[in-house]
Amino acid sequence: RARRNARLKHGIGSITESVHSRFRRVTCGLTLTQVVHGVSDARTDLDDRHSNTLDTLKTKPIFAMRSQANAYGAGDADDSSKQAQMVAKFNQRYQHYLDKSVPHLKERWGVWCGVAFIYLVRISFLKGWYIVTYGLGIYNLNLIIGFLSPQVDPETNGPTLPTKGNEEFKPFVRRLPEFKFWHRSAKSFVYAFFMTFF
């Protein structure tokens, strides 16, 4: 029992010494009183800044500070919040209609064909904007490669088909899912269409 108590005291002493040495390393060799004084000085400095801000608010009316901020190019907070609300509402509706279109495969690709046809007709009548069309083709080729490529490379991770009776079959998982492929490709045609106006 005496040995166990001695071991326990020795263990607690070594743990305490370890904590003290880590504290010294973290505080870069400062003593505890220096750290406490540094924290209190920082708190005093923060309190001084806070009181200066409060004094400024008491002496200057709010509308004067707002007009000064507008003079420096800052917009009204109300306008930005309304714009942010409108953008958030638009994004929410857009995502809602995208989510509703997921099961309608034929209709989605029909819309894609229509958008691509309109773009190609515009390019053929303008007889220009070939650089935009070239970039659009390269981007869509990259999307097709992602759509046809597996998510996991079979050469590095082994075969996907089971070779033994106890192995599990791993289905083909695309690197770029069909819906994302359709969405990105359709957006690229719309962007390229609007680029032809500038």
Side-chain angles (χ1 to χ4, degrees), residues 121-130 196:
V121 166
R122 177 161 174 79
I123 291 302
S124 65
F125 278 125
L126 289 177
K127 300 199 187 307
W129 304 104
Y130 299 121
T196 60

Side-chain angles (χ1 to χ4, degrees), residues 119 122-123 126 128-129 132-133 190-198:
Y119 176 77
R122 177 161 174 79
I123 291 302
L126 289 177
W129 304 104
V132 174
T133 306
V190 171
Y191 289 155
F193 181 77
F194 283 112
M195 281 181 185
T196 60
F197 289 99
F198 300 107

Side-chain angles (χ1 to χ4, degrees), residues 22-66:
R22 285 185 183 170
F23 180 75
R24 273 189 239 116
R25 267 188 267 141
V26 168
T27 58
C28 301
L30 299 173
T31 63
L32 182 60
T33 55
Q34 290 171 332
V35 171
V36 170
H37 285 299
V39 169
S40 65
D41 291 344
R43 181 176 283 169
T44 305
D45 185 39
L46 187 62
D47 288 340
D48 290 343
R49 288 183 192 170
H50 184 65
S51 64
N52 289 340
T53 306
L54 287 177
D55 291 341
T56 304
L57 286 175
K58 288 177 186 173
T59 57
K60 252 188 185 179
I62 296 289
F63 63 87
M65 290 193 308
R66 182 179 286 177

Side-chain angles (χ1 to χ4, degrees), residues 125-154:
F125 278 125
L126 289 177
K127 300 199 187 307
W129 304 104
Y130 299 121
I131 301 263
V132 174
T133 306
Y134 178 74
L136 177 68
I138 294 293
Y139 179 74
N140 279 292
L141 182 63
N142 189 20
L143 290 177
I144 290 171
I145 291 171
F147 178 69
L148 296 177
S149 300
Q151 189 174 21
V152 179
D153 189 14

Side-chain angles (χ1 to χ4, degrees), residues 91-104 108 179 182:
N91 287 338
Q92 188 178 17
R93 282 190 180 171
Y94 180 70
Q95 190 62 45
H96 172 72
Y97 287 119
L98 272 181
D99 293 341
K100 283 179 79 171
S101 71
V102 170
H104 305 290
R108 280 192 287 115
F179 182 77
W182 168 81

